[in-house]
Amino acid sequence: MKELENLYDRIIQRVNINLRELEFEVNPYAQNAIPLGQMIKFYAFFGISPHHPLSFQFKHSNLAGSYFLGHCNVINSLLYKSDIRGDELKKKGDLFQYQCFEIPVNRDEEINITDSLLIKTLVHNFSHDPETLEEFFIKDTISMNYANIHGSPSDGCFLGPFATADLTTIRDCVIRRFAYVQAGEVSHLDIAAGTVWVRNPGEFNFIYQHPVDELNDYIFISPTAPPQGLFIDFVEDRKEAFQRVFDVVNIEHSTSVPTSASLDRYAVVKPTTTIGENVLVSQRAYLQNSYLGKGANAQENCYIINSQLEGFNVTAHGAKIIEADLGTNVFVGFNSFLRGCPDGRLTIGKDSIIMPHTIIDVKESLTIPPGQLVWGMIKDDEDLANHSIPIEKFSGITSGISMGNMYFEGNGASFVTAFKDRIHHILEANGAFFNGSEKKGHAQKNQYISFNTLQPYPEGHKKGLYPTIVIKP
Amino acid sequence: MKELENLYDRIIQRVNINLRELEFEVNPYAQNAIPLGQMIKFYAFFGISPHHPLSFQFKHSNLAGSYFLGHCNVINSLLYKSDIRGDELKKKGDLFQYQCFEIPVNRDEEINITDSLLIKTLVHNFSHDPETLEEFFIKDTISMNYANIHGSPSDGCFLGPFATADLTTIRDCVIRRFAYVQAGEVSHLDIAAGTVWVRNPGEFNFIYQHPVDELNDYIFISPTAPPQGLFIDFVEDRKEAFQRVFDVVNIEHSTSVPTSASLDRYAVVKPTTTIGENVLVSQRAYLQNSYLGKGANAQENCYIINSQLEGFNVTAHGAKIIEADLGTNVFVGFNSFLRGCPDGRLTIGKDSIIMPHTIIDVKESLTIPPGQLVWGMIKDDEDLANHSIPIEKFSGITSGISMGNMYFEGNGASFVTAFKDRIHHILEANGAFFNGSEKKGHAQKNQYISFNTLQPYPEGHKKGLYPTIVIKP
């Protein structure tokens, strides 16, 4: 495994150099994150379909347990159980609208991952950076368990566990655990754990800060141990169910799936689950005894357990919904953790927006009225009052508002419109509006994917490294 | 599947053009051989190991259920459940001895399969043609179920079911069902069904002709149906056992395997089977209630059932051994079918050579003394007397001999030496003589292989075609 070890050291060094100004040492975090021995155990897999671009290049890398779709290149990198979904990349000839510019896309966009270590990370969407339209790069970057790199080119960054970079070009940044950043372009920042930051320069700026003491119960990381906490335990407890899904070549889910919906063969579905029309269930999603109404979706690393989703529900990457009833059009952002309990269910009224990285964890029943904007850490009615606001009211904000740890400045209507447009786009991309012939999205296109598996050298000095692999149409 | 159909038609046309002088039309045979719908059902797989060269290029082809190892290129071809084993190819710098020539090998040899349709075919060994040392080509060729293309470059040929081309460059030839050719170089020949032909020009010439009426019970082919007969039934009856082996990602055989032996994860092993030291069991081999002594091997498509192999037994590709006891150093050639029955076992004395494509099918016990050369179709003691001769006696032949349908001319000693050298080489290559540190062969090297799977486009006009795939170290 000499070469694998060298590669690992090389990546750590490169990221450290990038982060030297922030005086952040990635070594202890990265070193505890994943034993190299694990990296030879799992096969990588990639999808082939007539509905997706096809271009993979893997070189001098380990891809253990990772999934690839679309147009991805991975060089000198270690990808552990990560999802690299290149199915929303821009195509040659597209016009990219940025402020007053309409920029033509010169060639098919590609995800280029170089000199990086990604652990259980989701990479999706496309580069929103007008400076780098054809390349969604991830360079000299380390991301920890369940980080999301969503439409966010990254150079020289460290993302802690459950951190999310969303539609943001990040350079030389540390985004600590469970922090969410959607800010266009940032560099040389150290984003504190549990920060939720949504900014559109000149329009609005939303910042929330999770109370760190409480957050530590959910996700904690120290330089001496791998990530710990309820989030990790929750996922580990359900790990075995995925084992079976990955151990067989072909799998027949027992749940019936409408012809307009798709249930990924690498998802776990436990009884009694109902999948409605136009529903998208991605790989590594976990459904148990739940109802997904028309146009709902469950993305990578989502867990939906004992819950009802009425329809057109976006459950973004990494979100968890347990013992809850969600009305139509409820949006649940990245890595949110929404948990009722059998005797005290969580009810979320229609058209509500649960901000990314929201934690709602209740022991007694809690009802969120329709049309609310919800954020933060909520454990009872009082918390809810302090961490939510009717969307309509929020739209009326013209200068700013502050509630507890949440600060907002700018135009509320602009913020709400941006969110609503985004939700509409996601539903559209996922195929929620498919009418039988038009408006196809992932739910329809993903029905026709065949999966291929790859494994590394099993022995010798290249042990753990994958050979050079090039796949073209 | 339009492109797949076009490819199929194109291959048939090219082979027909090559075989026009023989007035042989491949269409009816090829058309019944394999429904195109089957070709999208099975994954292809290839091995990666530190002990084998690694270079694959697959382009515009279907590879359904086929296996690849070593250095193989496949272009514009359909390979159905075939084994392309490039683990005995020549390496750059090797010296190839041919008569008085010592020819340096310029670059690593590669297997190049173009414009060909191979069905359940084994491709192995290396090009023995001094004119094409660096390329083991298979071009404009169709081979049917369980054909062997062994060290035999082929251009414009048709091989019927269970036909074998061995160490022979074949051009514009038809090798009909169950015919075996080992003749150096042949062209524009139509080899009759059940012919066994071993020739070394200037040294010896061995020809045997199976009685076609009897052969038809074992393998029969007509232009209106796929191959039929006992051979096909025998294999089909045991097909399900392989299903399980191919359906799981990782498999643990319950049989214990010595550290010096290797049991391929794509083999079937049923109780109670004992695997001795230095034993090699290849993918698609089937072992049931048998004993494989030290240095024995079971190659691709071998079936060894209720049998004892004392040790250093070569069971060549496609050979079947049922209810039999084989002494040490017994060699069983390609596609031979040796079947005793529970009340009448078949016993083969040590050091005997069972020629390729021999059928021994007995209802009462039959004993072959040690040191015999055996060929043909044997159903009782009388047949045995007419189809065997002590090797020592055969070595004494200086001009020729004829026995029933067998004609031999030339030097018997030269024939025997050639066979014995070959058997020694096979045992050596398979690792039968491994002493714990030296003389490693396939049995030792194959312990460290990781397998990758590939699938074709599942839908669209490319349905059934595999994408372009390039794999390098």
Side-chain angles (χ1 to χ4, degrees):
Chain A
M1 296 218 289
K2 195 63 199 150
E3 282 204 41
L4 193 63
E5 286 163 17
N6 289 346
L7 179 55
Y8 189 84
D9 292 344
R10 171 191 151 92
I11 293 168
I12 293 202
Q13 190 182 46
R14 292 178 71 101
V15 179
N16 275 333
I17 291 171
N18 275 275
L19 294 175
R20 66 194 182 282
E21 286 179 36
L22 299 178
E23 292 180 1
F24 184 83
E25 277 275 339
V26 299
N27 309 39
Y29 301 101
Q31 246 151 36
N32 289 309
I34 187 78
L36 283 189
Q38 286 290 97
M39 304 204 80
I40 59 164
K41 278 194 190 165
F42 308 99
Y43 63 82
F45 53 117
F46 59 91
I48 292 180
S49 109
H51 301 300
H52 298 95
L54 176 66
S55 177
F56 301 115
Q57 191 182 343
F58 306 122
K59 202 171 173 180
H60 200 249
S61 294
N62 174 289
L63 314 170
S66 294
Y67 171 64
F68 302 88
L69 185 63
H71 194 155
C72 320
N73 304 315
V74 181
I75 298 173
N76 293 335
S77 294
L78 306 174
L79 272 59
Y80 183 73
K81 294 189 178 176
S82 291
D83 293 288
I84 316 300
R85 263 181 67 186
D87 57 355
E88 293 188 352
L89 297 170
K90 293 183 282 294
K91 292 206 170 68
K92 182 179 173 172
D94 286 356
L95 283 177
F96 184 76
Q97 191 76 40
Y98 182 76
Q99 293 176 354
C100 58
F101 299 99
E102 206 168 51
I103 320 171
V105 176
N106 260 332
R107 54 184 169 84
D108 286 353
E109 184 181 359
E110 53 194 27
I111 297 175
N112 288 335
I113 301 175
T114 49
D115 306 309
S116 293
L117 163 63
L118 310 186
I119 299 170
K120 298 185 180 177
T121 294
L122 171 90
V123 178
H124 192 205
N125 205 234
F126 57 89
S127 163
H128 284 254
D129 188 334
E131 299 171 23
T132 174
L133 282 184
E134 289 90 1
E135 193 192 5
F136 178 173
F137 58 79
I138 296 174
K139 221 187 120 192
D140 298 338
T141 290
I142 293 178
S143 63
M144 303 277 291
N145 315 40
Y146 305 104
N148 296 301
I149 300 179
H150 193 263
S152 297
S154 166
D155 184 355
C157 294
F158 175 84
L159 288 89
F162 293 93
T164 298
D166 191 16
L167 316 186
T168 302
T169 303
I170 49 176
R171 286 178 211 271
D172 301 345
C173 288
V174 174
I175 303 179
R176 293 184 187 251
R177 68 187 183 284
F178 206 57
Y180 173 89
V181 177
Q182 188 200 133
E185 194 173 352
V186 296
S187 60
H188 298 271
L189 290 186
D190 185 345
I191 314 268
T195 302
V196 178
W197 181 26
V198 184
R199 177 187 71 171
N200 186 347
E203 290 287 326
F204 55 78
N205 196 17
F206 173 107
I207 295 186
Y208 169 77
Q209 177 63 54
H210 276 285
V212 171
D213 277 0
E214 282 183 69
L215 183 63
N216 284 346
D217 294 342
Y218 293 94
I219 182 67
F220 177 71
I221 189 168
S222 79
T224 56
Q228 297 166 56
L230 198 147
F231 286 172
I232 298 288
D233 296 344
F234 180 88
V235 170
E236 290 289 316
D237 287 348
R238 284 153 188 88
K239 203 168 154 179
E240 245 186 70
F242 282 100
Q243 191 90 29
R244 196 182 75 87
V245 163
F246 279 89
D247 276 355
V248 297
V249 172
N250 294 303
I251 198 163
E252 287 292 325
H253 288 297
S254 56
T255 313
S256 89
V257 180
T259 55
S260 62
S262 75
L263 167 59
D264 194 275
R265 58 84 73 240
Y266 290 103
V268 166
V269 186
K270 298 203 158 196
T272 306
T273 291
T274 304
I275 291 179
E277 288 181 20
N278 297 356
V279 161
L280 168 70
V281 181
S282 298
Q283 77 282 2
R284 286 191 246 266
Y286 179 105
L287 306 180
Q288 182 179 340
N289 189 35
S290 291
Y291 172 88
L292 272 71
K294 182 175 180 177
N297 67 60
Q299 297 280 4
E300 288 82 354
N301 303 315
C302 282
Y303 293 72
I304 300 177
I305 299 171
N306 300 337
S307 294
Q308 300 268 326
L309 280 63
E310 284 306 318
F312 300 101
N313 303 83
V314 173
T315 306
H317 310 282
K320 292 157 197 80
I321 300 173
I322 306 113
E323 303 282 358
D325 302 297
L326 276 60
T328 51
N329 295 308
V330 169
F331 170 88
V332 178
F334 289 101
N335 282 348
S336 284
F337 183 79
L338 313 184
R339 183 166 69 169
C341 51
D343 308 331
R345 289 180 72 80
L346 169 65
T347 306
I348 304 180
K350 65 175 181 161
D351 301 323
S352 287
I353 295 174
I354 311 298
M355 292 281 290
H357 291 219
T358 297
I359 296 174
I360 306 179
D361 195 6
V362 295
K363 296 277 175 283
E364 290 177 13
S365 70
L366 183 90
T367 299
I368 299 175
Q372 297 289 302
L373 180 72
V374 183
W375 64 89
M377 174 93 68
I378 296 167
K379 295 189 171 168
D380 52 29
D381 283 317
E382 197 189 327
D383 287 340
L384 177 62
N386 296 327
H387 296 89
S388 66
I389 188 170
I391 292 173
E392 215 179 307
K393 189 174 168 194
F394 198 88
S395 290
I397 297 169
T398 49
S399 59
I401 190 173
S402 112
M403 290 173 71
N405 282 351
M406 188 278 277
Y407 304 88
F408 179 81
E409 50 180 4
N411 188 318
S414 169
F415 178 89
V416 168
T417 303
F419 248 97
K420 287 201 165 168
D421 285 354
R422 174 105 185 260
I423 294 167
H424 186 85
H425 157 77
I426 295 171
L427 287 169
E428 200 171 40
N430 288 347
F433 306 129
F434 178 61
N435 63 6
S437 58
E438 290 164 319
K439 301 191 178 176
K440 274 190 186 175
H442 300 316
Q444 293 77 41
K445 293 178 183 175
N446 287 10
Q447 292 168 349
Y448 302 108
I449 298 187
S450 59
F451 294 97
N452 296 335
T453 66
L454 301 170
Q455 295 200 69
Y457 281 100
E459 275 298 328
H461 69 286
K462 286 192 176 181
K463 182 173 175 177
L465 278 179
Y466 284 60
T468 300
I469 300 167
V470 179
I471 317 266
K472 301 275 174 196
Chain B
M1 296 218 290
K2 194 63 199 151
E3 281 204 41
L4 193 63
E5 286 163 17
N6 289 346
L7 179 56
Y8 189 84
D9 292 344
R10 171 191 151 93
I11 293 168
I12 293 201
Q13 190 182 45
R14 291 178 71 101
V15 179
N16 275 333
I17 291 170
N18 275 275
L19 294 175
R20 66 194 182 282
E21 286 179 36
L22 299 178
E23 292 180 2
F24 184 83
E25 277 274 340
V26 299
N27 309 39
Y29 301 102
Q31 246 151 36
N32 289 310
I34 186 78
L36 284 189
Q38 285 290 97
M39 304 205 81
I40 59 163
K41 278 194 190 165
F42 308 99
Y43 62 83
F45 53 117
F46 60 91
I48 292 180
S49 109
H51 301 300
H52 298 95
L54 176 67
S55 178
F56 301 115
Q57 191 181 341
F58 306 123
K59 202 171 172 180
H60 200 248
S61 294
N62 174 289
L63 313 170
S66 294
Y67 171 64
F68 303 87
L69 185 63
H71 194 155
C72 320
N73 304 315
V74 181
I75 298 173
N76 293 335
S77 294
L78 306 175
L79 272 60
Y80 183 73
K81 293 188 178 176
S82 291
D83 292 288
I84 316 300
R85 263 181 66 185
D87 57 355
E88 293 187 352
L89 297 170
K90 294 183 281 294
K91 292 206 170 69
K92 181 179 173 173
D94 286 357
L95 283 177
F96 184 76
Q97 191 75 40
Y98 182 77
Q99 293 175 355
C100 58
F101 299 98
E102 206 168 52
I103 320 172
V105 175
N106 260 332
R107 54 184 169 85
D108 286 353
E109 184 181 359
E110 53 194 27
I111 297 175
N112 288 335
I113 301 175
T114 49
D115 306 309
S116 293
L117 163 63
L118 310 186
I119 299 170
K120 298 184 180 178
T121 294
L122 171 90
V123 178
H124 192 204
N125 206 233
F126 56 90
S127 164
H128 284 253
D129 189 334
E131 299 171 23
T132 174
L133 283 184
E134 288 90 1
E135 193 192 6
F136 178 174
F137 58 79
I138 296 174
K139 220 186 120 192
D140 298 338
T141 289
I142 293 177
S143 64
M144 303 276 291
N145 315 41
Y146 305 104
N148 296 301
I149 300 179
H150 193 262
S152 297
S154 167
D155 184 355
C157 294
F158 175 84
L159 287 89
F162 294 92
T164 299
D166 190 16
L167 317 185
T168 302
T169 302
I170 49 176
R171 286 178 210 270
D172 300 345
C173 287
V174 174
I175 303 179
R176 293 185 187 250
R177 68 186 183 284
F178 206 57
Y180 172 89
V181 177
Q182 187 200 134
E185 194 173 351
V186 296
S187 58
H188 298 270
L189 290 185
D190 185 344
I191 314 267
T195 301
V196 178
W197 180 26
V198 185
R199 176 186 72 170
N200 186 347
E203 290 287 326
F204 55 77
N205 195 17
F206 174 106
I207 295 186
Y208 169 78
Q209 177 63 54
H210 275 285
V212 171
D213 278 359
E214 282 183 71
L215 183 63
N216 284 346
D217 294 342
Y218 293 94
I219 181 68
F220 177 72
I221 189 167
S222 79
T224 55
Q228 297 166 57
L230 198 147
F231 286 172
I232 298 288
D233 296 344
F234 180 88
V235 170
E236 290 289 317
D237 287 348
R238 284 152 188 88
K239 202 167 153 180
E240 244 185 71
F242 282 100
Q243 191 90 30
R244 196 182 76 87
V245 164
F246 279 89
D247 276 356
V248 296
V249 172
N250 294 302
I251 197 163
E252 287 292 324
H253 288 298
S254 56
T255 313
S256 89
V257 180
T259 55
S260 62
S262 75
L263 166 58
D264 194 275
R265 59 79 79 239
Y266 289 103
V268 166
V269 186
K270 298 203 158 198
T272 306
T273 291
T274 305
I275 292 178
E277 288 182 20
N278 297 355
V279 161
L280 169 69
V281 181
S282 298
Q283 77 281 2
R284 285 191 247 265
Y286 179 105
L287 306 180
Q288 182 179 340
N289 189 34
S290 291
Y291 172 88
L292 272 72
K294 182 175 180 177
N297 67 60
Q299 297 281 4
E300 288 82 354
N301 303 315
C302 282
Y303 293 73
I304 299 178
I305 299 171
N306 300 338
S307 294
Q308 299 268 326
L309 280 64
E310 284 305 319
F312 299 101
N313 303 84
V314 174
T315 306
H317 309 282
K320 292 157 198 79
I321 300 172
I322 306 113
E323 303 282 357
D325 302 297
L326 277 61
T328 52
N329 295 308
V330 168
F331 170 88
V332 178
F334 288 102
N335 282 348
S336 284
F337 184 80
L338 313 184
R339 182 166 68 169
C341 51
D343 309 331
R345 288 181 71 81
L346 168 65
T347 306
I348 304 179
K350 64 174 183 163
D351 301 324
S352 287
I353 295 175
I354 311 298
M355 293 280 290
H357 290 219
T358 297
I359 296 174
I360 306 179
D361 194 6
V362 296
K363 296 277 175 283
E364 289 177 14
S365 70
L366 182 91
T367 299
I368 299 175
Q372 297 289 302
L373 180 71
V374 184
W375 64 89
M377 174 93 68
I378 296 167
K379 295 189 170 168
D380 52 29
D381 283 318
E382 197 189 327
D383 287 340
L384 177 62
N386 295 328
H387 296 89
S388 66
I389 188 170
I391 292 172
E392 215 178 306
K393 189 173 168 193
F394 197 88
S395 290
I397 297 168
T398 49
S399 58
I401 190 174
S402 111
M403 289 172 72
N405 282 350
M406 188 279 277
Y407 303 89
F408 179 81
E409 50 180 4
N411 188 317
S414 169
F415 178 88
V416 168
T417 303
F419 249 97
K420 288 201 165 168
D421 285 355
R422 174 105 186 258
I423 294 167
H424 186 84
H425 156 77
I426 295 171
L427 288 169
E428 201 171 39
N430 288 346
F433 306 129
F434 178 61
N435 64 5
S437 58
E438 290 163 318
K439 301 191 178 175
K440 274 190 187 175
H442 300 316
Q444 293 77 41
K445 293 179 183 174
N446 288 10
Q447 293 168 349
Y448 302 108
I449 298 186
S450 58
F451 294 97
N452 296 334
T453 67
L454 300 170
Q455 295 201 69
Y457 281 100
E459 275 298 328
H461 70 286
K462 286 193 175 179
K463 182 173 175 176
L465 279 180
Y466 284 59
T468 300
I469 300 167
V470 179
I471 317 267
K472 301 275 174 196

